[in-house]
Amino acid sequence: MSRSERYKAAKELLGRYGQGHLLDLYDRLGDDEQDGLLDAVDRLDFSRIPGWVQDYVTNSKPAALPEEFGPADYYPATSPDSEQMRAKYDQARKLGAELLAGGKVAAFVVAGGQGTRLGFDGPKGNFPISPVRNKTLFQIFGETILAAGRKYGADLPWYVMTSPLNYVATVEIFKSNDYYGLDESNVFIFQQGTLPNFAFDGKILMASAGTIAASPDGHGGSLKALYDSGATADMKSRGIEYISYFQVDNPLVSVVDELFIGLSAMDEAEMSSRALIKAHSKEKVGNFCLVDGRVTVIEYSDLPDEQAEKRSPDGSLVFELGSIAIHVISRAFVEKLNADGFALPIHRAVKKIAHVDADGTAVKPEEPNGVKLETFVFDALPLADKSIILQTIRSEEFAPVKNATGDDSPEVTRRMMVDRSAAWLKAAGIEVPTKADGSPDCVIEIAPGFAICAGDVKAKADQIAPIKSGETVYLE
Ligand code: UTP
């Protein structure tokens, strides 16, 4: 089809759906830009856009709360009471280690988000966070993956999901850091999809005269992108069976966890989750529930107060388990979802969306002016035939960097990184000087090359010199 024929067809299609304005500035564009815009129009999914506009843009469809639901069961974080369960944990740890040693596990970080709350220029993975050496999030994960590969004596490939908005910058960062010591062939960087951004009246916004405003389709987009990008095919060719999923903003995550991987495999779970006990009834994390026998996450904003506040006889919250975006996903599950066709529910986010107006003038709104749409990975949990939950301890594994200041800020994360290092040292029998309030009176950073879990520190306890008050310690 010639360009002018394509233009005519696009104009007709867009007109039919009330989106004709997308071509208003077409005449100002050069040939390549015109082609780019026509390609972008071709990619718009008009089988779904009118429904999205109706449900999530011009209206805000309330999330359908299941009629009946209860709390989900879970495996406790450590030392289960019964002999039988302790034996199961031992067996699971052994199996997890075997799967890692057999090269059956891949690390997978979702790093396609825009990180608007943190306000950092560039991909969030490049944010410097470690308390002594100021290592970036990517560097911490890269070094951890390298150390885990050495520990288990097998390649641990790393899959990195980016978005079209940060793919090029992310690849550059990995290249300029020499893939953090990993073999380049074991790092697979790919892009997730996007969804168009809408003004409140349902019109799609333009980012520039020739570009449709769009944002990444949420971490739920990973389940499609893993497949579409060829990542799952690559995993299959390497014999990978389990995908260890984590977020780019949480430097405390146990990137590959023997117990979690082993329990998932023993129970033949298609998608598993780690959870923590919520700090309070309304903590802003999703709630693990059971709906029709399936693990389902109900967002904190959707859980009615009555349920959120409900307590068990021992005083604990009935819905006590919060979701922290750490999963083990079987590769076969991702393949099955994609082969059968699946669509995760859409969530709306009201945002300030930079765009150009009808004249092509750039607009940077001071107030929210439209809606971004996204999908969430935990919405795939009910699609799994089997799903288990393993509790984790917040101070061990969850310190996400979300905001520039206050809660979930770099300051809090750094403090938690030091606290965890201190806890690992203490568990190894090493004295850590403390302040009057019990917090460490020193700054400690443990390089992943030295230890990736408390047990590794214990094994090297004799290599650690006594720590003095006020000292800065880097263990490598
Ligand atoms: P968040 O929900 O914290 O979003 O992402 P964000 O985009 O990073 O930050 P804000 O909301 O703009 O401040 C949680 C994790 O999911 C990834 C992020 O990169 C982060 O690791 N994510 C999020 C994606 O990979 N893709 C997305 O479309 C959204």
Side-chain angles (χ1 to χ4, degrees):
M1 223 193 280
S2 70
R3 185 177 298 122
S4 66
E5 284 167 338
R6 286 188 74 196
Y7 171 77
K8 258 177 78 182
K11 184 108 188 133
E12 194 277 324
L13 174 78
L14 292 172
R16 229 176 324 131
Y17 288 98
Q19 303 287 359
H21 63 285
L22 298 188
L23 296 176
D24 279 356
L25 303 170
Y26 180 85
D27 290 337
R28 296 190 196 172
L29 304 174
D31 289 352
D32 287 351
E33 289 172 308
Q34 288 186 337
D35 288 342
L37 181 54
L38 294 172
D39 290 344
V41 170
D42 282 346
R43 288 194 296 269
L44 291 172
D45 184 357
F46 281 108
S47 68
R48 306 189 66 199
I49 287 174
W52 291 338
V53 169
Q54 161 77 22
D55 290 343
Y56 307 109
V57 182
T58 52
N59 297 295
S60 167
K61 189 173 154 185
L65 198 66
E67 266 176 37
E68 273 184 48
F69 61 93
D73 279 341
Y74 65 96
Y75 287 104
T78 43
S79 317
D81 297 335
S82 77
E83 185 85 15
Q84 195 192 355
M85 283 299 282
R86 272 201 298 278
K88 179 161 186 178
Y89 274 40
D90 288 345
Q91 224 183 322
R93 275 197 197 90
K94 193 162 161 270
L95 176 60
E98 278 166 14
L99 289 167
L100 283 157
K104 306 275 182 223
V105 181
F108 175 38
V109 66
V110 288
Q114 295 182 285
T116 39
R117 284 170 289 171
L118 184 61
F120 173 63
D121 194 18
K124 209 190 220 184
N126 209 31
F127 188 81
I129 191 69
S130 78
V132 175
R133 290 292 168 94
N134 229 11
K135 290 179 188 173
T136 66
L137 291 155
F138 279 145
Q139 182 164 0
I140 293 169
F141 301 137
E143 289 184 15
T144 304
I145 289 166
L146 187 65
R150 289 191 179 138
K151 178 172 177 173
Y152 295 105
D155 278 346
L156 179 58
W158 187 12
Y159 296 81
V160 181
M161 185 176 83
T162 66
S163 83
L165 285 73
N166 68 8
Y167 171 76
V168 173
T170 305
V171 170
E172 264 317 303
I173 291 164
F174 272 75
K175 275 194 192 144
S176 60
N177 286 283
D178 213 7
Y179 293 83
Y180 307 104
L182 297 163
D183 194 320
E184 187 185 337
S185 65
N186 288 332
V187 181
F188 190 112
I189 307 177
F190 64 98
Q191 303 183 48
Q192 66 178 117
T194 59
L195 290 171
N197 297 158
F198 297 86
F200 289 125
D201 62 3
K203 301 268 188 235
I204 295 173
L205 291 163
M206 291 298 285
S208 68
T211 330
I212 294 172
S215 47
D217 57 0
H219 38 68
S222 61
L223 294 170
K224 195 161 180 299
L226 274 170
Y227 188 80
D228 290 348
S229 65
T232 43
D234 183 72
M235 289 176 188
K236 193 172 184 178
S237 72
R238 293 168 184 260
I240 302 288
E241 289 172 23
Y242 298 97
I243 304 169
S244 184
Y245 172 109
F246 58 98
Q247 298 196 154
V248 76
D249 53 21
N250 180 17
L252 286 195
V253 68
S254 171
V255 168
V256 281
D257 189 276
E258 289 173 8
L259 177 63
F260 187 33
I261 293 164
L263 281 175
S264 300
M266 273 173 93
D267 285 359
E268 297 181 3
E270 290 185 314
M271 180 167 173
S272 305
S273 314
R274 298 216 76 168
L276 43 75
I277 305 294
K278 292 191 298 180
H280 53 87
S281 60
K282 296 299 246 178
E283 183 174 359
K284 291 184 175 175
V285 287
N287 294 276
F288 282 112
C289 300
L290 204 62
V291 180
D292 287 336
R294 288 180 180 253
V295 172
T296 304
V297 169
I298 298 186
E299 280 196 86
Y300 66 92
S301 48
D302 295 332
L303 188 70
D305 285 354
E306 191 195 330
Q307 262 94 351
E309 303 296 347
K310 219 165 154 182
R311 302 229 167 224
S312 304
D314 67 2
S316 61
L317 291 168
V318 168
F319 294 95
E320 62 180 350
L321 279 192
S323 167
I324 48 169
I326 302 174
H327 302 282
V328 166
I329 306 172
S330 90
R331 172 183 52 81
F333 178 57
V334 180
E335 290 167 346
K336 187 177 86 176
L337 286 179
N338 284 280
D340 295 352
F342 75 111
L344 298 178
I346 293 282
H347 298 259
R348 86 195 291 254
V350 170
K351 298 267 180 183
K352 292 181 229 167
I353 305 170
H355 62 283
V356 293
D357 67 13
D359 307 325
T361 310
V363 181
K364 252 193 146 204
E366 298 284 320
E367 294 300 322
N369 62 317
V371 173
K372 293 185 176 182
L373 304 177
E374 52 182 352
T375 58
F376 296 157
V377 75
F378 55 70
D379 281 328
L381 288 167
L383 305 178
D385 284 338
K386 185 84 203 285
S387 174
I388 59 154
I389 300 171
L390 173 62
Q391 186 206 345
T392 188
I393 306 293
R394 190 185 301 263
S395 57
E396 263 295 307
E397 225 192 330
F398 190 57
V401 186
K402 297 281 187 197
N403 305 309
T405 54
D407 289 346
D408 295 336
S409 63
E411 192 192 334
V412 177
T413 301
R414 277 189 201 109
R415 195 183 328 127
M416 290 183 72
M417 292 175 83
V418 173
D419 288 349
R420 188 182 69 174
S421 296
W424 284 6
L425 289 169
K426 283 185 202 160
I430 295 176
E431 222 169 289
V432 177
T434 47
K435 297 183 189 153
D437 64 1
S439 63
D441 187 17
C442 50
V443 184
I444 317 167
E445 178 174 333
I446 300 177
F450 187 82
I452 54 173
C453 63
D456 293 350
V457 176
K458 208 171 207 161
K460 292 184 177 171
D462 57 350
Q463 301 174 22
I464 303 169
I467 301 170
K468 296 184 214 68
S469 284
E471 204 181 351
T472 295
V473 179
Y474 178 69
L475 294 174
E476 61 184 323

